[in-house]
């Protein structure tokens, strides 16, 4: 049975490169009716933190990358944690020492190796580590499922530390023990780990274990072709979540980063059967923030409006923002459905819809300058108040007709008429379509907003 794992080190935020690795592991497991395992590699005690572990777990949950196995934590699967498995690793370290494949090495303060032994050096002055004995003959090679044949000269590798002086084994050791004990069949990870594979294969051989298949995924780069980092913009899942991207839009984009698949807009859960490692790029890929936003916009317009309402509400709560949604749910739905046509993310949706939800909105400076300060503004507003008070039924046709009638009075140009009324009822000049906006706002809001603007004009004229 196919068994794969995602094995993050909890030493920082959850990078989008990490989630993409998790996503490809997840897809590969599901495609093969296998299992996807989460293992927290927290043996670097100085750099690991519980905050980072929590962020990783919450990010995976938010992305809907659920894992299939792990210690029971009240009906749910927890992650495996390497820090809880130290005894297991020590057993295998001892096995290598006893069989002459590893030894104790003592270092002085200047970091020079001063002593080696098969026995624990009880009276040693200095720090004691355990090193793996490298057989310097020949090459270590493997067939990577993405990159093809890769080999390393063994004479270029020195004996390497497997147990640190603080008694904790290193990543290259623990990863082998765990992948073996957890029956991992395929190791799918970032290509920055290719060079580690040499040491890991040597350890598999030392124990007489079969190696898993390896699949190294090309890195994600920024526009300058350097590994994607904070210099390029936000890189963590939390960043994209806070910016108001849908998790499935982020996953959609990450799936496209390096995987050639016909569709462009999809939910990754619908693409399990299409997943094929042979269709993964061998070359590094460049993270394109604009493309991601474009994809998010496609989902923004495809999603059921009721689901959008829920996503929006949750996003506002998660970001501890003021709940601007109206208790009148139908009004909120109508606002969201006209606003979503022109924006791509939930954050943009908030900015774009904000003035529909609050009555004490401000007027944009440019709107005041270009329209409200003009001589005709006062007359136009008073006619608009009258006409929209008289109008009974607010639908697209009636609103259009009313605006046309106002414009035909030639108080100012048609464009000025429309823009001034737009700004009056919404405070700004870029809004959803004017007719739709007026219909959605409805008579009561429109009239009171036009009146509010009339008052405002009198104030600025003073
Ligand atoms: N803990 C390693 C990392 O976060 C895992 C590498 C692997 O998948 O073997 O990079």
């Amino acid at each position: 049975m196919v068994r794969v794992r995602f094995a993050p080190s909890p030493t920082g935020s959850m990078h989008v490169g990490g989630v993409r690795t998790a996503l490809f592991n997840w897809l590969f497991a599901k495609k093969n009716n296998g299992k996807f395992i989460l293992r927290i590699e927290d043996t670097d005690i100085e750099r690991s933190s519980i905050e980072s572990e929590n962020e990783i777990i919450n990010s995976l949950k938010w992305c809907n990358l659920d894992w299939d196995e792990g210690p029971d934590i009240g009906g749910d699967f927890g992650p495996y944690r390497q820090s809880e498995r130290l005894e297991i690793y020590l057993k295998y370290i001892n096995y290598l020492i006893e069989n002459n494949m590893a030894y104790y090495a003592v270092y002085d303060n200047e970091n020079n190796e001063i002593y080696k032994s098969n026995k624990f050096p009880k009276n040693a002055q200095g720090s004691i580590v355990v090193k793996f004995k490298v057989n310097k003959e020949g090459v270590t090679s493997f067939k990577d499922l993405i990159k093809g044949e890769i080999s390393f000269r063994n004479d270029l590798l020195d004996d390497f530390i497997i147990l640190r002086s603080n008694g904790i084994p290193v990543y290259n050791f623990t990863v082998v023990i765990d992948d073996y004990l957890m029956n991992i069949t395929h190791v799918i990870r970032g290509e920055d780990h290719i060079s580690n594979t040499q040491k890991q294969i040597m350890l598999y051989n030392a124990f007489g274990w079969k190696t898993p298949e390896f699949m190294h995924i090309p890195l994600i780069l920024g526009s300058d072709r350097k590994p994607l980092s904070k210099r390029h913009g936000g890189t963590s899942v939390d960043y994209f979540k806070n910016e108001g991207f849908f998790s499935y839009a982020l996953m959609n984009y990450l799936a496209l980063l390096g995987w050639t698949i016909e569709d462009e807009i999809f939910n990754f859960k619908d693409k399990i059967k299409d997943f094929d490692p042979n269709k993964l790029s061998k070359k590094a890929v460049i993270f394109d923030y604009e493309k991601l936003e474009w994809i998010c916009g496609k989902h923004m317009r495809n999603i059921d409006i009721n689901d959008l309402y829920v996503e929006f509400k949750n996003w506002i709560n998660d970001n501890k923002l003021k709940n601007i949604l109206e208790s009148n749910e139908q009004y909120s739905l109508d606002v969201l459905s006209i606003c979503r046509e022109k924006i791509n993310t939930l954050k943009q949706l908030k900015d774009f819809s904000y003035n529909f939800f609050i009555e004490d909105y401000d007027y944009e400076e440019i709107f005041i300058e270009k329209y409200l300060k003009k001589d005709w503004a006062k007359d136009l507003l008073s006619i608009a108040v009258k006409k929209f008070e008289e109008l009974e039924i607010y639908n697209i046709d009636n609103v259009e007709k009313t605006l046309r009638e106002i414009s035909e009075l030639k108080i100012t140009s048609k464009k000025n008429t429309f823009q001034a009324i737009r700004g009056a009822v919404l405070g700004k000049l870029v809004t959803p379509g004017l007719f739709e906006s007026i219909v959605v706002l409805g008579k009561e809001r429109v009239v009171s907003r036009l009146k509010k603007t009339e008052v405002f004009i009198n104030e600025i004229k003073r």
Side-chain angles (χ1 to χ4, degrees), residues 396-459:
I396 297 282
D397 288 346
N398 288 355
V399 166
E400 189 180 352
K401 192 163 149 264
T402 306
L403 284 168
R404 204 166 352 98
E405 281 168 20
I406 299 173
S407 152
E408 275 158 12
L409 295 172
K410 302 253 186 266
I411 299 167
T412 177
S413 69
K414 183 173 176 210
K415 181 185 168 233
N416 283 349
T417 304
F418 280 44
Q419 288 297 71
I421 291 176
R422 182 195 304 275
V425 294
L426 285 167
K428 48 192 185 178
L429 297 172
V430 180
T431 70
L434 181 58
F435 309 152
E436 291 91 328
S437 296
I438 290 179
V439 171
V440 166
L441 285 164
K443 181 165 181 171
E444 204 183 309
R445 281 190 197 82
V446 169
V447 170
S448 101
R449 288 170 177 223
L450 289 170
K451 285 182 175 166
K452 162 184 144 142
T453 310
E454 254 192 310
V455 172
F456 184 79
I457 293 176
N458 288 332
E459 280 169 10

Side-chain angles (χ1 to χ4, degrees), residues 5 7-9 39 41 171 175 179 187-189 192-193 200:
R5 85 299 192 274
S9 302
R39 184 174 73 225
E41 303 209 319
Y171 155 71
V175 74
D179 285 343
V187 168
I188 306 174
R189 61 187 174 194
D192 46 331
H193 286 289
Q200 293 170 15

Side-chain angles (χ1 to χ4, degrees), residues 155-195:
D155 60 336
L156 298 179
L157 189 66
D158 291 326
D159 293 356
F160 56 90
I161 294 178
I162 51 177
L163 186 70
R164 296 185 189 94
S165 58
N166 64 3
I168 302 196
V170 302
Y171 155 71
N172 275 315
F173 186 80
T174 54
V175 74
V176 169
I177 304 300
D178 282 344
D179 285 343
Y180 170 73
L181 293 178
M182 296 178 185
N183 293 311
I184 299 302
T185 56
H186 296 74
V187 168
I188 306 174
R189 61 187 174 194
E191 72 176 10
D192 46 331
H193 286 289
I194 289 183
S195 60

